[in-house]
Amino acid sequence: MLAYGVRVGDVFKAIADETRRAILDELAERDEQTLFEICGRLAVGHGLASSRQAISQHLEILEDAGLVRTERRGRYKYHFLDTAPLQLIISRWPRPEENNHAD
Amino acid sequence: MLAYGVRVGDVFKAIADETRRAILDELAERDEQTLFEICGRLAVGHGLASSRQAISQHLEILEDAGLVRTERRGRYKYHFLDTAPLQLIISRWPRPEENNHAD
DNA sequence: ACCATACGCAAGCATTTACTTGCACGTCAA
DNA sequence: TTGACGTGCAAGTAAATGCTTGCGTATGGT
């Protein structure tokens, strides 16, 4: 269920960075944000002091990985979280047999 | 449920590399392998021609991330897959609402 | 004891990555 | 149109990363 142009490795590399994980956390907490909103809320809520350009580049990587979808309205660009690509990670390797202690 | 000394970012960075994901695939397919066995089976089954030292360093990173556990017997060191740390990724962000088409 | 085997350590190198810097483009209000 | 605002683009830099190379250590067979 991966969108066209999204390579598998992109998803893994996208979530390998701490700042990008914080961005996903932010969008999970509050969807539909502009670049400036994300910058501000990251600085306040997550203690990250990244520049606008840095966040912009991170968002581009997340979008390429299919983890963030965007929608342009006028001069604003809104960002939405899409966790569907994470299913790749969940389904790739077997679940730990955590119920071995029973029976 | 993370072992001591394992940082969150280590797990994400560990699976960000394609070779390391192939190693996890290999151990999922066949657990309890030595370094040389992994090298050989990676070359044959996954078309990867990585050197022993390269694989060794990857295994160290995977072990630091808690994704691989080891057991030494004589001069052999056996490697085991442990997918428990992956629960971090699964539980961190909300699941996609894929059942919106229903109802 | 000897040597081969299985693995570990550490320095060096090339590529990748995250970030900055400076400028450019499109949108909206006056 | 003018200017401010929100965003995009691209070159340059410093750090991280993956890999190689060479040597070192411990175990086991003969």
Side-chain angles (χ1 to χ4, degrees):
Chain A
M1 271 301 192
L2 227 52
Y4 296 101
V6 175
R7 285 172 300 176
V8 180
D10 293 344
V11 181
F12 291 93
K13 296 219 172 189
I15 60 173
D17 185 82
E18 188 181 6
T19 304
R20 286 195 289 268
R21 292 196 298 272
I23 291 175
L24 295 182
D25 290 340
E26 238 312 301
L27 287 176
E29 196 177 304
R30 177 176 189 166
D31 220 7
E32 193 175 350
Q33 292 192 62
T34 67
L35 172 58
F36 269 40
E37 286 173 328
I38 295 173
C39 285
R41 291 176 62 95
L42 273 182
V44 175
H46 300 80
L48 288 179
S50 295
S51 69
R52 174 188 68 86
Q53 294 86 342
I55 302 292
S56 177
Q57 287 167 0
H58 282 310
L59 283 171
E60 190 181 349
I61 292 174
L62 289 171
E63 192 175 359
D64 289 343
L67 289 163
V68 163
R69 307 212 169 271
T70 59
E71 193 180 323
R72 184 130 216 166
R73 301 189 205 127
R75 58 178 162 178
Y76 299 99
K77 188 179 182 183
Y78 295 95
H79 300 264
F80 302 86
L81 176 64
D82 186 358
T83 57
L86 295 179
Q87 297 295 325
L88 278 179
I89 305 168
I90 301 174
S91 56
R92 178 155 181 172
W93 295 287
R95 291 266 185 134
E97 298 123 13
E98 46 203 337
N99 44 357
N100 271 356
H101 50 78
D103 292 42
Chain B
M1 268 303 192
L2 227 52
Y4 295 100
V6 175
R7 285 172 301 174
V8 180
D10 293 344
V11 181
F12 291 94
K13 296 219 171 189
I15 59 173
D17 185 82
E18 190 181 4
T19 304
R20 286 195 289 269
R21 291 197 299 272
I23 292 175
L24 295 182
D25 290 340
E26 238 311 302
L27 287 177
E29 196 176 304
R30 177 177 189 166
D31 219 8
E32 192 174 353
Q33 291 193 63
T34 68
L35 171 58
F36 270 42
E37 284 173 329
I38 294 173
C39 285
R41 292 176 61 95
L42 274 182
V44 175
H46 299 81
L48 289 178
S50 296
S51 69
R52 173 188 69 86
Q53 294 86 343
I55 302 292
S56 177
Q57 287 167 1
H58 282 310
L59 282 171
E60 190 181 351
I61 291 173
L62 288 171
E63 192 175 358
D64 289 343
L67 289 163
V68 163
R69 306 213 170 269
T70 60
E71 191 179 325
R72 185 132 216 164
R73 300 189 207 125
R75 58 178 162 179
Y76 299 100
K77 188 180 182 184
Y78 295 94
H79 300 265
F80 303 86
L81 177 64
D82 185 359
T83 57
L86 295 179
Q87 297 295 325
L88 276 179
I89 305 168
I90 301 174
S91 57
R92 178 154 181 172
W93 295 288
R95 292 265 185 135
E97 298 123 14
E98 47 203 337
N99 44 357
N100 272 356
H101 51 77
D103 293 39

